[in-house]
Amino acid sequence: MGLRSPQESVNDLSPIENFRTLTKEELRELHEEPADPQAQQEIINSIEEVYFSNDSFDIVKYELERLPPVLSLQELEEYRDKLIQQQAAVSKKVADLILEKQPAYVEELERVTSLQNGLQLAAVICTNGRRHLNIAKEGFTQTSLGLLANQRKRQLLIGLLKSLRTIKTLQRTDVRLSEMLEEEDYPGAIQLCLECQKAASTFKHYSCISELNSKLQDTLEQIEEQLDVALSKICKNFDINHYTKVQQAYRLLGKTQTAMDQLHMHFTQAIHNTVFQVVLGYVELCAGNTDTKFQKLQYKDLCTHITSDSYIPCLADLCKALWEVMLSYYRTMQWHENHDQDEAAVVSSVSDGNNVIGTEENSFDRNYVKKKLEHGLSRIWQDVQLKVKTYLLGTDLSNFKYDDFIFVLDVISRLMQVGEEFCGSKSEVLQESIRKQSVNYFKTYHRTRLEELRMFLENETWELCPVKSSFNILQLHEFKFLEQSRSPSVSPSKQPASAVCSTGTLFQQYCAAGNPFEIQADSKDDETEDVLASNGYESDEQEKSAYQEYDSDSDVPEELKRDYVDEQTGDAPIKSVSRETLRSRKRSDYNLNKVNAPILTNTTLNVIRLVGKYMQMMNILKPIAFDVIHFMSQLFDYYLYAVYTFFGRNDMFESTGLGLSSSRLRTTLNRIQESLIDLEVSADPSGTLTAAEERKEKVPSPHLSHLVVLTSGNSLYGLAERVVATESLVFLAEQFEFLQPHLDAVMPAAKKPFLQQFYSQTVSTASELRKPVYWIVAAKAIDYEQMLLLMANVKWDVKEIMSQHNVYVDALLKEFEEFNRRLNDVSKRVRIPLPVSNILWEHCIRLANRTLVEGYANVKKCSNEGRALMQLDFQQFLMKLEKLTDIRPIPDKEFVETYIKAYYLTENDMESWIKEHREYSTKQLTNLVNICLGTYINKKARQKLLAAIDDTDRPKR
């Protein structure tokens, strides 16, 4: 206990314990002390702390020990007086405190006395109460309360009996639970189990119940396991009653969200197990043994063991199985949508405040399930895509037949349609994988087709392939898809898009029964002919019906019908049209006895069929559209290059500078030669790998068949073959023009400039090839050299005006008449279109007129009468020529007339005339200066005109 202040110690003193009677002397001294409370308090405060410590403190000993070694009487007395004064102050303070508390003491003493009286009264009452109780006990309690005790014991025993019976029932629930699980009554089993658990918790105070409770918990866990197995069965074969029971059971367990998580896990597992089992079955079937090594392989490795023969059936079965899984998911979503609507209707009709909490919980569960199912759509489709992608890339499809590969594309196209309807996916994974396979396959396929095209061209005799006048490429099997398919996502070779649209989506169409991939497999044989026919002729029956259809046209003259039939059957020669008919028609139209049927060859038809096949593949799989169109353009390029190489290439005529080949055509031919034609005969072993790869993409230049003769004048140097070849190219270009909107629709936007350039730079140049091809015929058909010799023998320095033209004019006209006759003979074999005959006549007339100018430029002497004779000869030539041809105006007529008129020019006019007319050669202009003006101008003026001719750059026309 610590030291306390004097004041605290004084306040703590008990008046009983510390009260002591003061002596008379002390009292006297006390009275003598000042009565000032403040002075008194200061005295008390001056008392040392040790005096207020504790009761065991020895004051005498303390004071004696404090005495100094040398005692002084005076100091001792002073110290004694101080102590007495302090004691008096303390005593007075105590006395004051006692006096102050005196009323409270008296009051409390009275209360204690009153309490003592109350306690005595209570003791008397208790004594009386006990006495009365003893009387009641003896008179009533022992008999009446005994009966009540027995009744209470009876009630307890009845309750115990009920509890024992309930426990007995609980013991027998195992059998019923097993029966309900066998009946797949999962909601009933769970309801029963939960009720048993509730009952067991009521009787948990019995020792036998603890074991039963544990057993019920095990049973509930077993039910959950079986429920999970039942949930997994939904993934492959959705049954609405079965799924309803499972969902009710999970709801009773309060595990609706858990059930949805488990369901998605089962769907993922179902996809994996399904594809693995399908592929494993085909691998083991093809392996021919039951070796279990395949079962241990990963799915990716397993796909590489699929053979080419089993690839398509396995793919079809794979898609069928995956369809079943996705259909189950689709029907699961449908079930939840319908269930949510029904539940919402029930809640809205029966709503009160007590069910608010439960309704909120159910609404939360529904939203969770809805979001989970919606999220699972893309996840499940992604799993399907990855599995099919692995299967697609596991086998090299480059050596597949075309119809087999188209079927693969067809199946994948249908699967992508399923994906789009399933979750709105564009199936990027599938598109990329099938694009890789398609590009790989198409490169190999296209390379083979180009080699075949070269072989066809080298064996082509350029005979006319007979087709009906109403022939259209849409009549070919390969182009049927253009009429059937309206949606690229729907397989064009199987059924029109309208067939699906009329019945809704695939899921709605096949929700009850059937499989969209079974339709393809079943209808493959029926559709093969339309999709895969590759020969160049239609069947005889089709041709016959086509001709019958044509013969039924009432507006076609009878002789044209007969001639057309004869041409096709070969039974009789073609009849010529009467002379009167010929006179009434244009003489330059050499197809009077022909039906206006397209001119094409077997090779042309094969190229068109190939284009149809290419477009089928492109239509099914748009991501490779650019590659396909690029390869299609190569087919056209190679055909154009072959026709030019066979019939249009002639370096001698190209060097004339007459502009036979337009710059656009020359650019196109150079591009084709650089990009597509392999000009090297044998591969260079020392060449780089890049060069070898580039050469692999090229095709050797084709060679004309030795059966085609282009050197015979009687056949106009192979004019029939040239017409068939050139006009078949023009017809092919027209078909490409017809297909341009279809190609433009599937071409990626970034690649459309390529397509536009192909059409503007290549397709449109096909008709331009006519000029160089037919120029060769025109250059050889008429003997222009003989005409120059005849003109050299004419005497032009006559002195009188002649009225008779020269012999060379008649000779030239006879050449043209012979040309006209042979042109008629050729037209009996092949229809010569009006543009072709016009070009032939234009070329011949142009060459004749240029030969005339060249002959006039060879004149050594010429008089004014001779110049008039030149004009007379040319006018005679024009008059007779206009009776042979309908071409107006006559080509290069001004070229000759202007040159003849130049003979009349003066010196000053000649110089400006030379500068304005650069179409004439240096020799021709020099002759004008020397012959016309030579006798009228001096040597200096002649040299000036000759210098003007030499200094002027004259581009060749």
Side-chain angles (χ1 to χ4, degrees):
M1 183 174 179
L3 298 176
R4 290 177 294 180
S5 64
Q7 182 65 36
E8 290 173 345
S9 298
V10 169
N11 294 336
D12 195 45
L13 288 176
S14 170
I16 304 296
E17 294 176 347
N18 296 295
F19 182 76
R20 179 174 63 87
T21 306
L22 296 177
T23 60
K24 292 181 179 181
E25 184 180 352
E26 288 174 345
L27 289 172
R28 183 178 48 82
E29 290 178 356
L30 185 60
H31 290 299
E32 291 177 359
E33 289 295 323
D36 186 4
Q38 184 175 359
Q40 194 175 18
Q41 185 63 38
E42 287 177 359
I43 293 173
I44 292 174
N45 290 341
S46 66
I47 299 174
E48 293 185 29
E49 296 269 350
V50 69
Y51 284 98
F52 301 97
S53 59
N54 50 39
D55 296 338
S56 61
F57 176 65
D58 190 348
I59 300 174
V60 176
K61 183 179 178 181
Y62 173 74
E63 291 295 339
L64 290 176
E65 288 176 352
R66 288 186 61 192
L67 292 175
V70 181
L71 300 174
S72 172
L73 179 61
Q74 185 180 354
E75 290 178 356
L76 285 175
E77 286 180 350
E78 289 178 357
Y79 185 68
R80 178 182 63 100
D81 292 340
K82 180 181 178 180
L83 290 175
I84 292 172
Q85 190 178 12
Q86 289 176 344
Q87 182 184 14
V90 169
S91 299
K92 187 173 187 316
K93 183 69 175 176
V94 170
D96 291 341
L97 289 173
I98 290 172
L99 291 175
E100 183 181 350
K101 299 296 182 180
Q102 180 66 26
Y105 168 75
V106 174
E107 182 180 352
E108 189 66 24
L109 186 61
E110 289 177 352
R111 288 179 58 197
V112 169
T113 303
S114 175
L115 179 61
Q116 183 178 5
N117 294 331
L119 289 174
Q120 289 175 352
L121 179 59
V124 173
I125 292 172
C126 286
T127 302
N128 293 332
R130 286 180 179 177
R131 185 175 70 252
H132 290 113
L133 282 174
N134 285 329
I135 296 170
K137 180 182 176 182
E138 294 175 356
F140 172 75
T141 303
Q142 289 180 347
T143 56
S144 299
L145 292 184
L147 292 174
L148 294 174
N150 290 336
Q151 178 63 21
R152 180 174 174 276
K153 186 183 294 184
R154 179 174 177 275
Q155 293 295 333
L156 289 174
L157 289 175
I158 291 174
L160 179 61
L161 183 60
K162 289 182 179 179
S163 299
L164 292 175
R165 287 174 178 169
T166 304
I167 292 171
K168 184 179 180 180
T169 304
L170 292 175
Q171 296 286 355
R172 295 177 179 176
T173 53
D174 283 349
V175 178
R176 180 55 188 154
L177 284 174
S178 300
E179 291 175 355
M180 297 177 87
L181 289 177
E182 289 178 2
E183 297 169 359
E184 295 186 346
D185 183 10
Y186 304 108
I190 292 174
Q191 186 70 37
L192 178 60
C193 195
L194 292 176
E195 289 176 358
C196 290
Q197 279 190 325
K198 185 177 180 181
S201 64
T202 306
F203 303 109
K204 61 184 178 181
H205 49 281
Y206 297 109
S207 57
C208 62
I209 289 299
S210 59
E211 182 181 349
L212 176 63
N213 209 4
S214 176
K215 191 175 181 180
L216 286 172
Q217 187 61 37
D218 294 340
T219 303
L220 193 60
E221 292 176 1
Q222 181 184 352
I223 293 174
E224 286 190 36
E225 292 176 2
Q226 292 193 24
L227 199 57
D228 191 55
V229 173
L231 188 65
S232 66
K233 294 178 181 178
I234 298 296
C235 299
K236 291 184 180 179
N237 186 16
F238 182 86
D239 180 81
I240 187 168
N241 295 325
H242 182 75
Y243 189 68
T244 302
K245 289 180 181 179
V246 171
Q247 281 296 323
Q248 288 176 350
Y250 273 111
R251 178 168 290 191
L252 286 172
L253 290 173
K255 295 184 177 182
T256 305
Q257 297 181 17
T258 305
M260 197 48 54
D261 296 338
Q262 288 293 106
L263 182 63
H264 281 79
M265 184 187 71
H266 288 314
F267 268 106
T268 303
Q269 191 66 31
I271 291 172
H272 174 75
N273 293 341
T274 298
V275 297
F276 187 85
Q277 290 302 322
V278 170
V279 176
L280 178 64
Y282 275 93
V283 170
E284 290 180 342
L285 182 65
C286 296
N289 55 46
T290 56
D291 193 354
T292 58
K293 67 176 182 180
F294 295 118
Q295 297 180 355
K296 299 177 182 178
L297 292 177
Q298 293 291 327
Y299 173 71
K300 183 177 181 181
D301 300 327
L302 195 64
C303 290
T304 60
H305 289 79
I306 290 289
T307 62
S308 299
D309 294 336
S310 61
Y311 186 86
I312 289 179
C314 182
L315 176 62
D317 286 349
L318 199 65
C319 291
K320 288 180 190 176
L322 290 172
W323 162 261
E324 295 296 338
V325 175
M326 288 188 285
L327 179 62
S328 294
Y329 195 89
Y330 173 81
R331 296 186 65 187
T332 301
M333 288 193 69
Q334 270 194 327
W335 184 94
H336 281 280
E337 288 177 6
N338 297 334
H339 183 264
D340 290 348
Q341 291 175 0
D342 296 342
E343 195 172 67
V346 171
V347 170
S348 61
S349 61
V350 185
S351 58
D352 54 44
N354 298 328
N355 295 328
V356 172
I357 297 177
T359 303
E360 289 179 354
E361 291 179 358
N362 290 337
S363 177
F364 178 78
D365 285 345
R366 285 199 302 271
N367 291 334
Y368 177 86
V369 169
K370 184 179 179 181
K371 290 180 180 178
K372 190 76 176 178
L373 286 170
E374 290 173 352
H375 176 72
L377 282 170
S378 55
R379 181 176 148 191
I380 286 177
W381 176 241
Q382 187 71 8
D383 289 343
V384 170
Q385 284 191 92
L386 291 174
K387 296 300 181 184
V388 177
K389 172 190 174 182
T390 304
Y391 181 81
L392 283 175
L393 300 180
T395 303
D396 183 9
L397 307 182
S398 59
N399 295 320
F400 270 40
K401 295 179 182 178
Y402 176 80
D403 56 331
D404 289 340
F405 189 76
I406 283 292
F407 183 76
V408 172
L409 289 186
D410 200 25
V411 171
I412 299 304
S413 175
R414 178 59 62 92
L415 187 62
M416 287 193 288
Q417 182 192 358
V418 169
E420 187 170 358
E421 293 179 3
F422 187 66
C423 61
S425 169
K426 297 300 180 184
S427 307
E428 289 84 357
V429 175
L430 273 182
Q431 286 195 14
E432 178 60 23
S433 58
I434 200 64
R435 190 194 68 82
K436 288 181 181 177
Q437 284 286 29
S438 298
V439 172
N440 183 36
Y441 171 82
F442 208 71
K443 283 183 179 178
T444 306
Y445 180 79
H446 177 65
R447 175 71 190 178
T448 307
R449 300 291 79 76
L450 276 179
E451 290 292 343
E452 285 182 2
L453 179 57
R454 181 170 72 92
M455 181 186 69
F456 285 142
L457 289 169
E458 291 182 346
N459 290 280
E460 179 63 68
T461 57
W462 303 102
E463 294 290 336
L464 192 64
C465 177
V467 292
K468 60 184 180 179
S469 61
S470 60
F471 172 76
N472 187 294
I473 61 172
L474 295 179
Q475 297 167 356
L476 297 176
H477 303 310
E478 287 78 5
F479 289 93
K480 292 294 184 185
F481 73 93
L482 288 179
E483 295 180 347
Q484 293 178 342
S485 177
R486 293 293 178 268
S487 172
S489 63
V490 178
S491 169
S493 60
K494 302 310 172 196
Q495 63 175 5
S498 57
V500 175
C501 294
S502 62
T503 55
T505 65
L506 290 174
F507 286 97
Q508 294 170 343
Q509 186 179 357
Y510 298 102
C511 186
N515 193 302
F517 299 97
E518 286 176 354
I519 294 178
Q520 292 179 333
D522 295 340
S523 62
K524 181 182 176 183
D525 294 336
D526 299 334
E527 298 290 344
T528 299
E529 183 181 359
D530 281 343
V531 179
L532 306 173
S534 57
N535 63 59
Y537 297 97
E538 298 177 87
S539 66
D540 293 338
E541 292 184 1
Q542 286 174 320
E543 286 295 319
K544 184 177 179 182
S545 64
Y547 303 149
Q548 289 172 351
E549 177 188 344
Y550 178 78
D551 289 339
S552 66
D553 294 342
S554 59
D555 58 340
V556 178
E558 188 63 31
E559 65 271 15
L560 295 188
K561 299 180 190 177
R562 183 164 60 253
D563 291 339
Y564 179 61
V565 175
D566 290 343
E567 179 188 354
Q568 301 307 322
T569 60
D571 294 338
I574 303 171
K575 292 185 179 182
S576 61
V577 184
S578 66
R579 190 179 303 273
E580 290 76 13
T581 307
L582 273 175
R583 286 201 188 101
S584 64
R585 307 289 182 92
K586 286 186 177 181
R587 295 178 181 86
S588 56
D589 191 0
Y590 294 89
N591 56 355
L592 298 177
N593 60 338
K594 299 285 177 181
V595 174
N596 192 21
I599 298 176
L600 68 159
T601 66
N602 292 337
T603 304
T604 318
L605 206 54
N606 278 327
V607 172
I608 292 173
R609 289 185 182 277
L610 268 181
V611 169
K613 290 183 178 181
Y614 283 24
M615 289 186 67
Q616 283 181 20
M617 185 178 296
M618 177 177 62
N619 200 55
I620 295 174
L621 193 65
K622 284 188 176 181
I624 66 165
F626 171 71
D627 302 275
V628 176
I629 293 176
H630 175 64
F631 292 146
M632 283 171 57
S633 71
Q634 288 187 349
L635 294 176
F636 186 85
D637 288 348
Y638 196 69
Y639 194 92
L640 182 147
Y641 186 83
V643 172
Y644 170 75
T645 305
F646 293 165
F647 304 106
R649 175 179 284 173
N650 193 307
D651 296 334
M652 180 180 70
F653 297 118
E654 284 291 320
S655 63
T656 60
L658 296 173
L660 300 176
S661 300
S662 65
S663 60
R664 184 173 62 168
L665 178 58
R666 289 195 298 272
T667 302
T668 298
L669 291 169
N670 290 334
R671 176 189 62 77
I672 296 172
Q673 183 168 297
E674 291 174 3
S675 63
L676 188 60
I677 307 303
D678 184 8
L679 299 176
E680 300 179 26
V681 179
S682 59
D684 183 7
S686 62
T688 62
L689 182 63
T690 306
E693 286 296 324
E694 288 180 357
R695 290 198 60 221
K696 192 175 179 182
E697 300 294 327
K698 296 182 178 182
V699 189
S701 180
H703 302 288
L704 184 64
S705 171
H706 66 279
L707 299 176
V708 180
V709 180
L710 302 178
T711 56
S712 172
N714 293 329
S715 65
L716 276 179
Y717 306 96
L719 178 60
E721 288 79 4
R722 293 175 189 273
V723 169
V724 171
T726 309
E727 299 312 305
S728 68
L729 173 65
V730 173
F731 176 78
L732 186 62
E734 290 171 353
Q735 306 317 304
F736 268 83
E737 293 282 359
F738 169 73
L739 295 172
Q740 184 177 5
H742 299 281
L743 301 180
D744 191 67
V746 296
M747 190 70 157
K751 302 291 185 180
K752 285 190 177 182
F754 167 83
L755 186 64
Q756 295 167 358
Q757 184 178 10
F758 169 66
Y759 273 91
S760 61
Q761 299 290 332
T762 306
V763 177
S764 61
T765 60
S767 60
E768 296 178 12
L769 204 59
R770 286 170 169 162
K771 278 191 175 182
V773 170
Y774 298 132
W775 179 271
I776 298 173
V777 175
K780 295 180 178 180
I782 294 175
D783 192 350
Y784 304 102
E785 294 296 329
Q786 179 64 24
M787 190 173 68
L788 286 174
L789 292 175
L790 292 174
M791 292 178 72
N793 295 327
V794 176
K795 188 178 180 180
W796 298 103
D797 55 347
V798 293
K799 300 301 182 179
E800 58 184 19
I801 296 176
M802 306 295 290
S803 61
Q804 181 63 34
H805 62 273
N806 286 304
V807 179
Y808 75 89
V809 176
D810 295 329
L812 181 57
L813 288 171
K814 193 172 289 186
E815 288 279 340
F816 271 102
E817 287 174 355
E818 179 61 20
F819 170 73
N820 191 27
R821 185 191 63 77
R822 285 187 287 177
L823 205 56
N824 273 297
D825 293 340
V826 172
S827 70
K828 295 175 183 180
R829 288 181 53 203
V830 175
R831 177 176 67 86
I832 299 179
L834 183 59
V836 175
S837 63
N838 286 344
I839 287 177
L840 281 167
W841 276 100
E842 181 185 343
H843 282 343
C844 288
I845 296 171
R846 191 183 298 275
L847 283 169
N849 285 336
R850 288 177 178 272
T851 304
L852 287 173
V853 172
E854 188 65 22
Y856 296 150
N858 291 332
V859 174
K860 303 298 182 183
K861 294 181 180 180
C862 183
S863 61
N864 288 334
E865 290 79 6
R867 295 161 194 156
L869 182 58
M870 289 181 184
Q871 288 182 318
L872 176 64
D873 290 344
F874 186 59
Q875 292 302 321
Q876 178 67 18
F877 171 68
L878 290 179
M879 184 180 67
K880 296 290 185 181
L881 183 63
E882 287 176 349
K883 294 180 181 180
L884 292 174
T885 178
D886 289 329
I887 294 182
R888 300 292 184 275
I890 298 297
D892 279 355
K893 175 183 175 183
E894 294 81 4
F895 184 76
V896 181
E897 290 177 340
T898 304
Y899 188 80
I900 294 174
K901 291 176 182 178
Y903 279 83
Y904 299 99
L905 295 175
T906 63
E907 176 187 347
N908 294 330
D909 294 335
M910 180 61 75
E911 184 176 357
S912 60
W913 188 91
I914 289 172
K915 293 179 180 179
E916 291 173 359
H917 293 80
R918 299 184 178 185
E919 64 269 20
Y920 299 102
S921 66
T922 303
K923 174 189 172 183
Q924 294 165 352
L925 295 174
T926 303
N927 180 269
L928 280 176
V929 173
N930 291 331
I931 302 303
C932 298
L933 303 176
T935 57
Y936 304 110
I937 60 175
N938 56 33
K939 186 177 180 181
K940 184 177 180 182
R942 182 189 301 119
Q943 291 297 329
K944 180 182 177 182
L945 290 174
L946 293 176
I949 294 171
D950 293 335
D951 293 342
T952 304
D953 181 21
R954 307 180 184 283
K956 292 183 179 180
R957 188 177 174 188

